[in-house]
Amino acid sequence: MAPSEVTAEAINNVVRELYPGAASWCVEIGPDYAIAACDVDPRMVRPGGFVSGPSQFAVVDAAIWYVTFAALGRVEPMAMTSELSMRFLRPAQGARLFCRARLEAVSRRSVVATAHVWCDERDDKITATAQGTYAIPLPR
């Protein structure tokens, strides 16, 4: 897949095929960023109406996975999380989670990205920030 073929649609098609239970999808992708989204359902909400930490973690992991595809110029389903650190900044409340992951570094074996999470259209109210590393599989 050429870099121009790493589109949100191509990513979403692969995710639907290989991971039909995935809650997140790719909204937008560029050469050094990806935006993931996930609809909040009642199972994700804690008392007080706050979206759970694990739910925010999941959308971050998805966004970093997607930006890894941009870095590689192909959808690589076997790329996997090797490290992910998250800091929660404020309660997340809303109907949809978003996460924007931005590339920080790319090497032969890994991709490092920084991510920000927000709810609904309130991208000025970051609920969490994270940094993670995805491991790139060896060529077959």
Side-chain angles (χ1 to χ4, degrees), residues 45-138:
V45 179
R46 299 285 194 252
F50 302 142
V51 179
S52 71
S55 300
Q56 293 180 72
F57 191 95
V59 77
V60 167
D61 194 42
I64 295 175
W65 193 40
Y66 303 155
V67 81
T68 296
F69 304 157
L72 297 175
R74 69 181 189 281
V75 176
E76 177 52 70
M78 294 304 295
M80 62 181 68
T81 312
S82 66
E83 178 273 331
L84 184 52
S85 176
M86 196 153 169
R87 192 170 299 246
F88 298 97
L89 306 175
R90 66 171 45 91
Q93 292 180 293
R96 182 170 286 168
L97 286 174
F98 289 92
C99 178
R100 180 185 180 100
R102 183 176 52 87
L103 284 176
E104 297 292 346
V106 181
S107 72
R108 189 174 61 81
R109 297 285 295 137
S110 66
V111 172
V112 177
T114 299
H116 293 107
V117 180
W118 67 92
C119 289
D120 300 329
E121 300 304 319
R122 298 185 308 270
D123 60 350
D124 61 328
K125 300 285 188 198
I126 302 301
T127 63
T129 186
Q131 188 167 54
T133 304
Y134 255 73
I136 309 306
L138 291 171

